[in-house]
Amino acid sequence: MRHLTGYMIRAAAGPTAFVTMVLTGIIWILQALRFVDEIINYDMSMGAFFYISFLLLPQLLPVTLPIGLFCGMLYAYWRMSSDSELVVMRAAGLSRMALAGPGLLLAGFCAVFVASMTFYFMPMANSTMRDTRFAWKYIYSTVVLREGAFTPLKTRLTVYVAERRSGGELHGLLIHDEREPGKSVTMMAEQGTLIRAEEGPKILLLNGNRQEKDHESGNINVLYFDRYNVEIDLVGSNAPVRVAKIEERTIEDLFLIDPGDFDRATYHRIQAEGHKRVALPLLTIAFALMAIATVLYGEFDRRGVGARIWVGCLSAGLLQAAVLGLTQAAATEPFFNTLVYVLLLAAIAGSLFLMRAGAGMPTPGPAPMAA
């Protein structure tokens, strides 16, 4: 029985992984294309691009894995039915629930994986991705340093770069600084290098001079240097503060909250997000059971189970659409959260009912005695 269980799990795991990878890859590419403008506008490195694109996976897998599991489970049991393997197993005395056991075991592993994504990894990835995008947009951005143009920044700082090269290397720099009241500073340098530090970007000037003018006295002080650091504050004192979104909250932060801390609409959205994360693992189990029930229900037919497969796929599609619709509606009306659980439990119970003893393929009995 252990070898049989392993065989059935492997038969379903391969197609499940393949469909999940294909769906995730397609959606991942479409979602990652949103960050292309940040590569252009904010001079984001390719390493940062792939990093934040990778952080999309914990958001995509809880959606694609249940669909992949349904397709993989449906294909595996259909193939075993077409090859008469299920008939042989039934003739050996295995009940429908025994045949469904390996699929349920795989579904349990997938449900735990989805739960780990929705409860922990998805909010962590969301938070990290938003932090990284915020940092590149407001802290590490070098879009302001245009080649061959005077670029005024938001902090009374004007930068001119004659030539920009790869690796942040700059040539022919002129920086006019009026950030300090009553003084104006002009710096010129033959070369410079852009440095990205935790506190913000800096320009390391090489071989140049610094001219400081006091507006009250009119005196000008000139300093020649070999190396000089200039801090660039791209946003100044009006730096925006990143506000965490609901998607970044952990499962505890979604449910263990005080309703008095939020307005009614926000509280409903937070609760709906929490119930959605709980519903996705249940949807994984429901999809697996629906796929198994689609094949095991009914009598064995050598002509195939094409009609049942179409019905099963349609039912799974309607369930997916209903769950998505109800979770969206629950953001404004909490009652729909209950309907989500009712619908999922009904799908699970209905699938188990269809696989009950006596429904479908009859259990082989003893051969009739010859007269």
Side-chain angles (χ1 to χ4, degrees), residues 174-244:
L174 186 147
I175 301 176
H176 186 68
D177 186 355
E178 293 184 338
R179 292 178 291 184
E180 186 175 350
K183 292 183 180 180
S184 60
V185 178
T186 301
M187 290 162 281
M188 295 181 289
E190 296 178 3
Q191 299 180 30
T193 302
L194 184 66
I195 302 173
R196 293 186 174 96
E198 292 185 359
E199 61 273 14
K202 299 180 180 180
I203 296 180
L204 174 62
L205 301 179
L206 304 175
N207 301 326
N209 63 78
R210 180 182 185 274
Q211 306 172 28
E212 179 180 325
K213 179 181 180 180
D214 191 319
H215 292 174
E216 294 183 0
S217 63
N219 295 330
I220 298 177
N221 298 320
V222 181
L223 172 67
Y224 293 92
F225 57 80
D226 295 328
R227 299 167 62 91
Y228 190 84
N229 276 331
V230 180
E231 294 185 3
I232 304 178
D233 184 1
L234 297 179
V235 293
S237 59
N238 296 322
V241 178
R242 195 183 77 80
V243 179

Side-chain angles (χ1 to χ4, degrees), residues 50 124 130:
F50 284 114
M124 182 179 66
R130 294 182 188 278

Side-chain angles (χ1 to χ4, degrees), residues 28-90:
W28 179 78
I29 292 175
L30 295 176
Q31 293 293 318
L33 290 176
R34 298 181 305 168
F35 305 137
V36 173
D37 65 318
E38 298 184 15
I39 297 178
I40 301 173
N41 295 331
Y42 300 115
D43 199 24
M44 180 180 290
S45 66
M46 291 303 297
F49 168 75
F50 284 114
Y51 177 64
I52 63 175
S53 299
F54 175 77
L55 293 174
L56 288 170
L57 294 179
Q59 306 174 47
L60 301 179
L61 286 173
V63 178
T64 59
L65 182 56
I67 300 175
L69 180 64
F70 175 83
C71 296
M73 204 76 71
L74 187 63
Y75 171 79
Y77 276 83
W78 167 80
R79 185 182 62 79
M80 287 186 288
S81 176
S82 300
D83 295 343
S84 300
E85 292 177 321
L86 294 181
V87 175
V88 174
M89 296 176 193
R90 288 286 289 155

Side-chain angles (χ1 to χ4, degrees), residues 249 253 256-268 270:
R249 291 175 172 266
D253 294 335
L256 302 179
I257 59 175
D258 186 356
D261 295 339
F262 306 91
D263 59 82
R264 186 180 181 86
T266 303
Y267 178 74
H268 289 336
I270 293 175

